Amino acid sequence: MSSAVTDRSDAADSGRALRWGAIAVAVVVLLPLASLVWTAAHGSGDLWPNLLRHVLPHALGQTLLLVIGVGIIAGGIGTGTAWLVAVCRFPGRGIFEWALLLPLAIPTYIQAFVYVDAVHPLGPIPTLIRGLLGISSPRGLWLPEVRSLPGCIVLLGLVLYPYVYLTARAAFLVQGSSVLEAARTLGAGAWETFFRIALPLARPALAVGVTLALMETVNDVGASEFLGVQTLTLSIYSTWLNRSSLPGAAQIALFMLVIMMGLVMLERWGRRHLSVANVGARLRPPARRDLTAGAAGLAMLACFLPLLFGFLLPAGHLAHMAWARWQFHGFPVSVAQEALNTALFAAAGTSVAVGAGLLIALALRTGALRSGLVPRLAGLGYAVPGTVLAVGLLVPLAGFDNLVSAASAQLFGVPTGLLLSGSGAALVIAYVIRFLVIPVGGLEAGFGKITPSLDMAARSLGERPRGVMRRIHLPLLRPALGTAALLVFVDCMKELPATLMLRPLNFETLASHVYAEAARGTYEDGAIAALLIVLVGLAPVILLARLSRPAQG
């Protein structure tokens, strides 16, 4: 009797600890958003006439055009290639099935960094074309200007289309052969089947993929700056750092959040009537159709061109530049230190994010949280661009530092200085808030695969709640924990806007090193750091390719 009472007391204590721990994590995620509103409300407004006259109309117009253009290109390429590899049979289809994901390994700012150098009048691409055409003068060959809004749209579209490809391919594979075969037996041709049957059924998945691509577009700061496109994200960055106006940056950031919320609502709208698309989830995947020789050639070309311009050319040029830099100067010592900095901060962010994600998922599993509200709030950070997050974090962290420093000075006569803002802790916090959605979602799915009867069996054999977690949950969750940790680590490593704005003084990471070299125009000096980022970024792409491999060969 006494043991049962102790057991119930332990369970109640564990439940309370999990519940309040999960709520505390959600509060930390919401803190920068609340701070953003407070900072914007306390601005003098003196800056707004200038912003309204000279900055916002142009930045808003450029951002909207960029988002629309990237959405069209990424949506078109992603949907078209996904349809080809899902329902058609042509030479190389098996390779394209995973290789089309490779552009995800290249961050947008590195893609811009490479193409600006590669298509320079004296760069390798114009030089090769001039050699083939027998043109001697660099001015004798005209190529489209990559430092422009159209150039930025095309480059971002080539990097971000895999988000649409991944979700669209999964949707086409689960539509079921019977649906498509029924359309064909009723006389529908290939194009009519695609546009009237497959595409409407895949609409929810397409909305998710396009929204993810557009969120990455809005979050971008490096590519748009290199290519001369003044977006809202770049306006926040320049208003804070160049004009020294935090309230002005916060006001633009709030305006930008409205756009992000619009994208989220667009994604929800695209997923309405989701049950219609899931009708075929239990059906047999569609039988692949053999293409004629001409059609197979066109299908190969349609899959190869995005891969060529989205990964092979930039990765090849980057490897060439890195090799040239290595031969001339050897491996730069500073890059080794920056790689170590990057790994340490990414590892710290990953550890905290995975720990917080496990806390929330476990609270849901044990019933300590009775609704999914807290996990949804904890995942809001992914929809907040890095620049907006940095602006929102600055005030509460500075307030905490000042409070602690004043208390220390009063009690011990020694101020502590900037504990969070100056030590890099702010950067780790930003990483955690931004990417927390990955471990939360991954571990929720992992718990879904562990039947509750295992928990009940362990408890009936006398195991306490902590023992169930340690001996049952953690071993079974190892694959989900590993996947979440890998994805968060690579995302932390690639994150540029928050790193630029929150890193300590005189502290460089690989991402900030690449940005600085590109800003100075010394592209070759940043090649090794950029190549390291791309190589590490390949790991989650390989993982994604394996996880998304369809059952059908």
Side-chain angles (χ1 to χ4, degrees):
M1 183 67 181
S2 173
S3 173
V5 171
T6 304
D7 196 40
R8 282 197 296 272
S9 175
D10 283 352
D13 291 342
S14 299
R16 276 194 294 273
L18 287 172
R19 181 169 57 253
W20 287 111
I23 291 173
V25 172
V27 169
V28 171
V29 172
L30 293 176
L31 192 61
L33 301 182
S35 160
L36 203 61
V37 175
W38 187 88
T39 307
H42 285 75
S44 64
D46 294 343
L47 197 62
W48 270 95
N50 180 60
L51 291 176
L52 288 173
R53 192 177 304 115
H54 301 294
V55 178
L56 282 183
H58 182 67
L60 179 61
Q62 297 267 292
T63 303
L64 290 178
L65 289 174
L66 186 65
V67 164
I68 293 171
V70 171
I72 291 172
I73 290 183
I77 295 176
T79 306
T81 52
W83 175 255
L84 287 173
V85 300
V87 303
C88 299
R89 186 177 289 113
F90 54 92
R93 188 203 64 79
I95 296 175
F96 288 126
E97 191 167 48
W98 59 265
L100 282 165
L101 291 172
L102 288 176
L104 276 181
I106 301 185
T108 52
Y109 56 90
I110 291 181
Q111 178 87 331
F113 156 78
V114 170
Y115 269 99
V116 166
D117 186 59
V119 301
H120 185 272
L122 298 178
I125 293 178
T127 302
L128 176 65
I129 297 175
R130 283 200 308 273
L132 293 174
L133 299 178
I135 301 173
S136 56
S137 171
R139 295 184 178 180
L141 177 67
W142 179 88
L143 285 177
E145 179 56 65
V146 70
R147 287 180 181 269
S148 62
L149 179 61
C152 191
I153 289 173
V154 172
L155 292 189
L156 292 186
L158 286 171
V159 174
L160 300 176
Y161 81 80
Y163 286 106
V164 186
Y165 166 78
L166 202 59
T167 56
R169 187 188 59 158
F172 291 141
L173 286 173
V174 300
Q175 282 177 358
S177 59
S178 59
V179 177
L180 302 182
E181 286 166 3
R184 289 169 192 159
T185 55
L186 291 173
W191 289 104
E192 192 174 9
T193 302
F194 173 69
F195 282 109
R196 296 189 62 182
I197 306 296
L199 204 55
L201 287 176
R203 189 189 62 197
L206 296 180
V208 172
V210 171
T211 303
L212 287 174
L214 298 189
M215 283 182 172
E216 292 294 327
T217 302
V218 175
N219 182 53
D220 171 77
V221 66
S224 51
E225 184 174 6
F226 297 158
L227 302 178
V229 180
Q230 184 69 27
T231 60
L232 284 172
T233 308
L234 200 55
S235 298
I236 295 171
Y237 185 68
S238 58
T239 300
W240 181 7
L241 298 185
N242 298 339
R243 298 173 187 272
S244 302
S245 173
L246 185 60
Q251 289 161 353
I252 301 175
L254 274 183
F255 186 66
M256 194 170 156
L257 266 185
V258 174
I259 294 180
M260 297 302 289
M261 292 303 110
L263 290 176
V264 173
M265 290 174 65
L266 177 68
E267 186 260 350
R268 300 289 181 198
W269 176 82
R271 283 200 292 137
R272 72 188 196 281
H273 307 312
L274 183 62
S275 58
V276 173
N278 280 341
V279 165
R282 289 176 293 176
L283 300 181
R284 180 168 50 88
R288 294 199 174 95
R289 172 186 296 185
D290 289 317
L291 299 179
T292 62
L298 289 177
M300 289 174 63
L301 190 63
C303 292
F304 179 69
L305 289 179
L307 181 62
L308 174 67
F309 292 108
F311 181 78
L312 296 178
L313 273 180
H317 183 63
L318 208 54
H320 174 72
M321 283 197 302
W323 177 246
R325 176 68 175 76
W326 186 305
Q327 283 191 313
F328 195 69
H329 294 290
F331 190 84
V333 178
S334 62
V335 169
Q337 180 60 52
E338 289 155 6
L340 180 63
N341 293 343
T342 305
L344 288 176
F345 273 67
T350 301
S351 303
V352 180
V354 171
L358 180 61
L359 178 71
I360 293 173
L362 196 59
L364 266 181
R365 169 74 173 195
T366 58
L369 291 175
R370 295 182 181 177
S371 76
L373 178 62
V374 168
R376 302 291 84 80
L377 292 176
L380 279 179
Y382 191 74
V384 181
T387 45
V388 176
L389 188 59
V391 172
L393 273 174
L394 193 66
V395 170
L397 295 183
F400 176 85
D401 285 342
N402 291 335
L403 190 65
V404 173
S405 185
S408 176
Q410 189 171 10
L411 293 173
F412 309 109
V414 181
T416 57
L418 300 176
L419 286 177
L420 297 181
S421 313
S423 64
L427 189 55
V428 174
I429 294 171
Y431 287 160
V432 173
I433 293 175
R434 178 121 171 75
F435 303 119
L436 182 59
V437 69
I438 296 173
V440 169
L443 293 175
E444 271 191 81
F447 270 120
K449 296 176 182 175
I450 304 174
T451 172
S453 60
L454 278 178
D455 300 22
M456 290 186 282
R459 295 300 306 277
S460 66
L461 292 172
E463 192 61 83
R464 296 199 170 170
R466 291 177 186 173
V468 174
M469 183 185 73
R470 190 175 65 254
R471 297 184 180 181
I472 306 291
H473 293 155
L474 288 182
L476 293 175
L477 281 175
R478 200 172 296 156
L481 284 168
T483 303
L486 176 62
L487 294 176
V488 174
F489 182 86
V490 175
D491 274 340
C492 291
M493 220 189 75
K494 294 193 298 185
E495 169 66 26
L496 179 65
T499 305
L500 285 178
M501 298 172 82
L502 293 175
R503 73 187 195 278
L505 289 174
N506 301 318
F507 180 89
E508 297 291 344
T509 66
L510 291 176
S512 65
H513 174 90
V514 173
Y515 176 84
E517 296 293 356
R520 286 194 288 267
T522 52
Y523 302 106
E524 194 171 282
D525 289 339
I528 293 179
L531 188 63
L532 286 175
I533 294 175
V534 174
L535 290 177
V536 175
L538 281 174
V541 174
I542 294 170
L543 181 67
L544 273 177
R546 292 190 61 180
L547 292 176
S548 64
R549 185 178 298 163
Q552 172 178 306

